[in-house]
Amino acid sequence: MRKVAPESENSWKKTDYGPNKGVLAVDKEKVRISPKHNLLSTDFNMRIFPLFLLLCVAVFAGDLLNVSYDPTRELYKEFNQAFEAHWAAIGNGKIHVDQSHGGSGKQARAVIDGLAADVVTLALGRDVDAIAQYAKLIPPDWEGRLPNHNSPYTSTIVFLVRQGNPKGIKDWDDLLKPNVKVITPNPKTSGGACWNYLAAYEWGRRHGGETAAVEFLRQLFKHVPVLDSGARGATLTFTKRNIGDVLLAWENEAFLSLKENPKRGFEIVYPSLSILAEPSVSIVDKNVDKKGTRKAAEEYLNFLYSQTGQTIAAKNFYRPSRPELVPAEYLEKFKQMEMIDIRTFGGWEKAYKDHFAEGALYDQISKK
Amino acid sequence: MKKVRPFSPNTADAPWLKSCLIAFAVLVVLVIVVLPFASVIVQAFSEGPSIYLTLLRSSDMQVAVLLSLKLAAIAVPLNAIFGILLVWGMTHTQLPCRRFIMALLDLPFSVSPVVVGLLFIMLLGKNAPLGGWLEEHGVQVIFAFPGLLLATIFVTLPFVARELLPLMEGQYRQEEEAARLLGAGWWRIFLKITLPEIKWGLLFSIILSLARALGEYGAVAVVSGNIRGKTNTLPLHIEALFNDYELTAANAAATLLALLGVITLTVRIVAELKKKRDSNEH
């Protein structure tokens, strides 16, 4: 017969509780120096300690770190290679650019908390403002240090719908039709979502004034089943997880979805009114001065405005700020439409205070 | 020895119930474990084995794998040593706040990993007094290797101690006392009596913390900064690849993580078999 639990049985027998407590019941079997146990224990120490010492050293050294927002992964993958070649070509030797991506607000937060970015290329000026304001790593007058409000490329907000546009979505008011599910990321963490929100607000304001705009947004967010933290997350929710009928997306992100899902079939719908989304770039002054990388960081951003940089941006579906440098074939796809910009809302500082700050309009409308 | 009766006579009386239950269990395992696992493997190899190997050889992937292994190789032994020392101290001394320490030790299990990451940022981020001081002296903790290591150590902290506590509280204490009376030093006692007693528990808990260290996502994600080829661990790299539309690469990376899981599982099974044989010998 098989023993059920030989070990516990044995040890139970060995243990003397009760009347014999305190009497040493020595199990000779165990005190005897068993060669097997000996082997295991020394083996253990021999194996772990050298490994531990060997792997204690870890060095992180990067040349340049670009902390960016969510949809720019493909853009900067291509651009970094071009820049690394350019930097060597103008006689500065080898350089490597590291990338970090995530929701724009989250990324700004990470830089504030110490992520050692040399340059930030974020979704909106407000996030650069936040770094200037809370961590003082960037001077407050950063905007204007580079052409076109520090935006080497711009984009806009469009609708991405499923093939054949089954719900017949043409403009902002169609988003409120019953049974239409709208996908947008969370304006608290995503820059793209802020642009979505502002474009929707302006459309509402033009169709009935400020009260109507607030009501329009309140209704709109009732149609949103999932609030992802970044634009790429929202895109994947819509394209890969097949949730929702319409995605409010960066134009570049919408084009990329068409390219990445040739078989699935999506269509871009241009609403009657949208917003000129201006992603902002800046060097992070305190970080580059500490690391001694100011020259490379400045050249990196200037190179974004060069013919190479502008063409790479256009190829990756961003509207170049200097289209005259870019071959026409890359520009055809950008449709012209009426666009407002952040100045309509009094600049980012005011827009943030009115809409996205703690307890501001977005918080009020998203309360159930 | 008495024959142990089956716990529930009902199943023995109704064979159809038994087979239904077994079928249900198999179905659940199939749908929840086998199917996703198989789909990962199929997708990883969907572009052929040579592409699979090329993907695994990409530099970002290798950095991610190496980083995860490094973190585990440091965190797990540290936790093993810490666990043994702590439990030894708690069972061999009359600590007044024993229960309190045990409750503290459970904290990494009960607190959400994301909160753990945030706590480290609050403590060691650039804007915290301690983190600011470290940064002034050129030490970057958060968004660099030390931060990742701290997060990994924290989430794997309780494994060894929790597993060893019941073992070291156990019956072998009298043998220890005997050994001491016979003149053995503490190191000798530890090697000859304590370690053989706890070795299986120790091994299992090390395997568990290894699996957790390699697979940890939440806490590490917060303190990583997501720099590709620098601070992305294997789980973080999988997410990054997925977000980049690099599905095949993401699945290839996932097979690596799964492979590590299978290896730890195998070690566990082998160890369990050995343990059985070991205790049968006694």
Side-chain angles (χ1 to χ4, degrees), chain B residues 42-259:
Chain B
V42 168
Q43 292 228 33
F45 286 96
S46 62
E47 291 171 41
S50 64
I51 297 282
Y52 175 80
L53 286 179
T54 320
L55 289 170
L56 290 190
R57 269 196 224 110
S58 84
S59 68
D60 282 2
M61 184 86 84
Q62 293 197 340
V63 170
V65 172
L66 212 63
L67 180 61
S68 280
L69 288 176
K70 257 188 208 165
L71 288 171
I74 299 174
V76 171
L78 272 183
N79 278 345
I81 294 165
F82 165 81
I84 293 172
L85 287 180
L86 181 79
V87 176
W88 198 88
M90 275 174 34
T91 49
H92 288 72
T93 52
Q94 300 290 324
L95 278 180
C97 43
R98 237 190 80 142
R99 272 178 197 287
F100 180 66
I101 293 177
M102 275 328 282
L104 270 189
L105 202 59
D106 274 342
L107 215 59
F109 275 163
S110 50
V111 173
S112 155
V114 177
V115 175
V116 174
L118 283 176
L119 286 177
F120 278 120
I121 288 190
M122 295 300 171
L123 186 68
L124 295 164
K126 192 185 164 71
N127 302 310
L130 185 56
W133 183 83
L134 283 172
E135 162 138 348
E136 272 170 32
H137 292 75
V139 183
Q140 170 123 25
V141 178
I142 299 298
F143 306 122
F145 187 78
L148 293 170
L149 184 61
L150 280 176
T152 311
I153 291 177
F154 190 92
V155 294
T156 53
L157 197 59
F159 282 98
V160 175
R162 291 292 296 179
E163 178 103 16
L164 291 191
L165 191 69
L167 286 176
M168 287 175 84
E169 271 179 331
Q171 302 87 353
Y172 79 105
R173 290 294 298 284
Q174 294 173 338
E175 296 159 17
E176 241 183 49
E177 282 165 22
R180 174 167 289 178
L181 284 181
L182 293 170
W186 65 270
W187 179 242
R188 200 176 155 90
I189 294 179
F190 178 77
L191 280 187
K192 304 285 154 52
I193 298 176
T194 315
L195 199 57
E197 188 69 26
I198 63 170
K199 68 179 179 197
W200 294 116
L202 186 63
L203 188 61
F204 291 155
S205 54
I206 283 177
I207 291 169
L208 277 180
S209 39
L210 190 67
R212 178 74 192 262
L214 291 172
E216 173 59 20
Y217 175 83
V220 168
V222 180
V223 296
S224 147
N226 293 98
I227 309 171
R228 281 133 195 267
K230 289 263 155 69
T231 62
N232 261 2
T233 62
L234 191 51
L236 297 180
H237 191 55
I238 292 174
E239 194 211 13
L241 287 171
F242 177 73
N243 282 338
D244 288 357
Y245 294 105
E246 309 261 5
L247 272 188
T248 315
N251 279 302
T255 58
L256 283 189
L257 206 55
L259 185 72

Side-chain angles (χ1 to χ4, degrees), chain A residues 42-112:
Chain A
T42 41
D43 219 30
F44 229 77
N45 297 316
M46 297 267 283
R47 235 179 266 158
I48 285 169
F49 282 106
L51 202 70
F52 167 64
L53 290 174
L54 199 78
L55 293 167
C56 254
V57 190
V59 186
F60 283 99
D63 297 290
L64 270 189
L65 172 60
N66 175 5
V67 171
S68 193
Y69 62 110
D70 230 356
T72 52
R73 301 154 193 272
E74 293 76 16
L75 164 67
Y76 281 111
K77 210 173 177 179
E78 195 175 343
F79 179 76
N80 287 347
Q81 280 178 1
F83 176 72
E84 285 165 16
H86 166 74
W87 186 251
I90 57 174
N92 289 301
K94 239 180 115 161
I95 195 165
H96 181 73
V97 186
D98 290 315
Q99 275 306 120
S100 169
H101 295 278
S104 186
K106 185 189 127 202
Q107 294 290 82
R109 183 74 241 179
V111 174
I112 290 169

Side-chain angles (χ1 to χ4, degrees), chain A residues 110-188:
Chain A
V111 174
I112 290 169
D113 282 323
L115 183 58
D118 297 281
V119 298
V120 286
T121 53
L122 296 172
L124 36 87
R126 166 62 209 165
D127 290 327
V128 185
D129 275 344
I131 298 171
Q133 187 184 335
Y134 295 115
K136 311 229 173 343
L137 299 173
I138 299 173
D141 58 349
W142 61 271
E143 199 179 327
R145 291 199 293 188
L146 289 166
N148 196 33
H149 308 283
N150 277 39
S151 303
Y153 43 81
T154 62
S155 191
T156 185
I157 297 302
V158 298
F159 301 165
L160 190 69
V161 297
R162 303 198 183 278
Q163 192 159 39
N165 197 358
K167 301 265 164 116
I169 293 156
K170 300 232 159 48
D171 207 353
W172 290 97
D173 51 344
D174 294 323
L175 302 180
L176 299 192
K177 281 183 186 168
N179 298 325
V180 170
K181 288 205 177 69
V182 182
I183 304 295
T184 171
N186 188 343
K188 287 279 176 183

